[in-house]
Amino acid sequence: DIVMTQSPDSLAVSLGERATISCKSSQSVLYSPNNKNYLAWHQQKPGQPPKLLIYWASTRESGVPDRFSGSGSGTDFTLTITSLQAEDVAVYYCQQYYTTLPTFGQGTTVEIK
Amino acid sequence: QVQLQESGPGLLKPSETLSLTCTVSGGSINSYYWSWIRQPPGKGLEWIGYISYSGNTNFLPSLKSRLNISLDTSNNQFSLILTSITAADTAVYYCARGGFRRRFDVWGQGTLITVSS
């Protein structure tokens, strides 16, 4: 199984400031034939189901604000929220869909400082 | 716009069998992978299994002996059966579109399953 490890477990950021979450996979999720990273980011607000934010490591899902961006390749990935808004308070999960056993990171809680 | 809705019993006793159904509306169940993902109270997300449009399945190894997922294309539904449940199976169960090399791009609202005597 591919183990996904996020850091930090939680962070508090002031409104309008940048939030950065790291995700590392125990094996590469880059598929060389199409040069795509099978890595997604999901946002889960309290009492709600998860919502897909980013796929292919850096492609925003339709309707996701452009303050959310994803980067990285291979085993190291980052989710960045520029100019944090109050509605961005949530738990964020990275997830690989490269193998037959999809796995999630443990989640990172983003709060307002 | 595709929407998913889970339905299930809510409360079960240990050793019973959990049966959940996910109804797909606004689109066809064909040509996609469909997954079940669960979240114990206060914890993270755990993928437990998927079924492909052709009926191929794959399960979390730790659940493989107790879990089955089936497809009902005539009713645009897919279902989960989990046998011999224990308190450790207490969780919110989500159905989602996605699986092997397919992102989870549509999620149901989730249904809380509590296992208690």
Side-chain angles (χ1 to χ4, degrees):
Chain A
D1 301 5
I2 295 182
V3 177
M4 308 299 291
T5 303
Q6 294 179 226
S7 62
D9 288 336
S10 65
L11 75 161
V13 177
S14 299
L15 287 172
E17 296 300 305
R18 178 186 299 256
T20 303
I21 301 169
S22 172
C23 173
K24 296 183 187 295
S25 58
S26 60
Q27 302 171 41
S28 176
V29 298
L30 174 63
Y31 186 53
S32 299
N34 62 10
N35 199 36
K36 288 189 180 295
N37 288 281
Y38 286 71
L39 188 285
W41 289 94
H42 301 272
Q43 174 194 61
Q44 187 176 31
K45 296 182 179 180
Q48 295 186 19
K51 172 189 169 185
L52 176 67
L53 290 179
I54 303 280
Y55 58 97
W56 299 138
S58 61
T59 301
R60 265 189 307 275
E61 178 73 328
S62 175
V64 173
D66 61 6
R67 64 180 180 274
F68 291 92
S69 64
S71 63
S73 184
T75 61
D76 291 275
F77 302 92
T78 301
L79 175 70
T80 301
I81 311 171
T82 58
S83 188
L84 188 79
Q85 304 299 302
E87 60 264 33
D88 301 335
V89 168
V91 179
Y92 293 83
Y93 295 93
C94 63
Q95 176 244 327
Q96 64 81 15
Y97 50 107
Y98 183 72
T99 69
T100 56
L101 271 67
T103 48
F104 293 87
Q106 79 276 17
T108 295
T109 302
V110 174
E111 301 169 321
I112 305 295
K113 185 187 293 183
Chain B
Q1 180 182 352
V2 175
Q3 293 185 309
L4 308 182
Q5 181 64 59
E6 306 87 350
S7 56
L11 178 64
L12 288 167
K13 292 180 168 51
S15 80
E16 291 186 330
T17 294
L18 170 62
S19 178
L20 294 174
T21 295
C22 182
T23 300
V24 180
S25 59
S28 173
I29 204 167
N30 294 319
S31 304
Y32 288 98
Y33 279 60
W34 304 93
S35 285
W36 288 98
I37 296 157
R38 69 182 182 180
Q39 185 171 37
K43 297 190 176 181
L45 300 165
E46 178 180 57
W47 169 85
I48 60 174
Y50 65 63
I51 188 165
S52 73
Y53 52 89
S54 60
N56 293 324
T57 55
N58 195 40
F59 307 129
L60 191 66
S62 61
L63 296 178
K64 196 170 186 177
S65 63
R66 301 194 291 127
L67 180 62
N68 194 29
I69 298 175
S70 59
L71 207 59
D72 180 356
T73 55
S74 59
N75 289 306
N76 238 28
Q77 296 176 330
F78 62 104
S79 298
L80 170 152
I81 298 285
L82 184 63
T83 62
S84 304
I85 56 173
T86 70
D89 296 311
T90 293
V92 175
Y93 285 75
Y94 296 100
C95 57
R97 187 172 74 177
F100 175 50
R101 301 214 171 152
R102 272 83 164 169
R103 58 192 179 268
F104 298 132
D105 62 348
V106 183
W107 293 73
Q109 286 298 306
T111 185
L112 174 61
I113 300 300
T114 303
V115 182
S116 174
S117 53

